[in-house]
Amino acid sequence: IMPLVHLPVQSGSDRILKLMNRKHLISDYIKTYEKLKMINQSIEFSSDFIIAYPGEEEEDFKATFDYSHTVTSSVNITGNAGWRLMSSPITTSFSDILNEVWTQGATAGADDTNGNPNVFTWSNSSTDGANTNWSGVTNLNTNLSAGTGFLVYIYADDDFDGSDDSFPKNLSVNGSENTIGTAPTINSNANGWTLLGNPFATTIDFDLITTNDVTSTVYIWDDATSAWKTWNGTTGDITDGLIKPFQGFFIKNSSSVSSATTSFPSSAK
């Protein structure tokens, strides 16, 4: 499959599509998008739209505008049960993005409030990489902050019925993609660690993320090998520093910090 597919949507309004004598509905394009994304998560899309078509009214224009600013993005969790660093390309809750897998140990939004939590966030006030910096999420209905990552244990059993379900497990979200220039709050301590995440529905280049007082190395946990993968701008086992959608990753501050910041410009996509 080519890395770019052009889908000529032309209008986000089914009424206008009918006036154009088009034989498709907007839902048909959404299904095509989702099917191609399941085959190749790195695939990108272009489109074209006809604005002010004869007979178009304000609600038709709004439907087109809303469609052009909405993404349906999905990721396949492959391999086996284990820990994954993740993020979201839209503003949504933990419970929404993890809807298809088992969650527990949270007072709200989990499949079961009992048991040890399996969804964690990282403390941005940490001064080291100790496991004590992890905190179980108590309310999974809380929205994720754009550009931040989280840790989740993916169980093989999706519904706790005693039988393991198969991999891959498909997670999907729908909504407005996080904005260009997203600048999550990061650790302000010297040598401090921050868990970030790809905030977009497309692959990003770590080397093109804007940073200040941050080292040039990115760290991604690889569940398949139970080891960290890295990239330092020139070498490493993260190919060319490319970070896929839904991927969480760690960065580390410099040994001397005056103002540690990071942001995700359009050039990183």
Side-chain angles (χ1 to χ4, degrees):
I1 294 179
M2 293 295 292
L4 175 68
V5 172
H6 184 76
L7 294 178
V9 179
Q10 303 202 324
S11 176
S13 166
D14 286 337
R15 188 181 76 85
I16 295 300
L17 289 173
K18 185 175 181 180
L19 289 177
M20 291 177 175
N21 200 30
R22 303 298 188 261
K23 306 304 180 184
H24 65 272
L25 301 174
I26 193 65
S27 59
D28 297 327
Y29 272 96
I30 294 174
K31 290 176 183 177
T32 300
Y33 173 94
E34 292 176 343
K35 186 179 295 184
L36 290 172
K37 271 291 188 180
M38 288 187 68
I39 296 171
N40 182 352
Q41 293 172 24
S42 297
I43 200 167
E44 297 187 8
F45 297 85
S46 63
S47 188
D48 59 72
F49 298 89
I50 298 175
I51 304 301
Y53 188 83
E56 182 180 83
E57 298 180 1
E58 184 174 353
E59 66 239 31
D60 301 309
F61 173 79
K62 186 178 185 302
T64 300
F65 180 87
D66 290 344
Y67 177 82
S68 66
H69 287 72
T70 299
V71 296
T72 298
S73 190
S74 62
V75 62
N76 284 327
I77 307 297
T78 59
N80 302 293
W83 294 102
R84 306 298 198 282
L85 292 179
M86 297 193 64
S87 65
S88 175
I90 70 168
T91 298
T92 191
S93 65
F94 292 97
S95 58
D96 181 39
I97 193 172
L98 299 173
N99 182 57
E100 298 302 318
V101 295
W102 180 259
T103 54
Q104 64 181 41
T107 57
D111 294 308
D112 194 334
T113 58
N114 298 310
N116 294 323
N118 68 317
V119 183
F120 293 82
T121 56
W122 178 263
S123 172
N124 275 350
S125 61
S126 62
T127 56
D128 55 31
N131 285 336
T132 52
N133 293 308
W134 292 108
S135 297
V137 179
T138 57
N139 184 357
L140 295 183
N141 293 327
T142 303
N143 278 350
L144 288 154
S145 298
T148 61
F150 65 95
L151 176 70
V152 57
Y153 188 89
I154 303 293
Y155 291 96
D157 190 345
D158 296 333
D159 49 16
F160 206 63
D161 63 355
S163 299
D164 286 352
D165 298 288
S166 62
F167 284 81
K169 301 183 187 298
N170 182 259
L171 306 183
S172 179
V173 292
N174 178 269
S176 298
E177 187 179 35
N178 292 316
T179 58
I180 298 296
T182 290
T185 300
I186 70 170
N187 199 317
S188 61
N189 295 312
N191 298 312
W193 293 86
T194 302
L195 178 55
L196 297 177
N198 184 345
F200 304 128
T202 55
T203 298
I204 59 172
D205 186 338
F206 177 75
D207 295 331
L208 298 179
I209 295 174
T210 304
T211 62
N212 185 67
D213 289 341
V214 173
T215 65
S216 61
T217 303
V218 58
Y219 304 80
I220 291 177
W221 177 254
D222 180 28
D223 177 73
T225 60
S226 296
W228 290 98
K229 288 188 173 183
T230 63
W231 173 260
N232 64 8
T234 55
T235 61
D237 37 22
I238 301 172
T239 305
D240 296 327
L242 299 179
I243 301 172
K244 295 180 179 181
F246 291 90
Q247 180 65 63
F249 58 92
F250 272 103
I251 60 171
K252 185 180 182 181
N253 286 353
S254 304
S255 57
S256 178
V257 173
S258 60
S259 178
T261 60
T262 186
S263 65
F264 296 86
S266 59
S267 58
K269 297 181 72 175

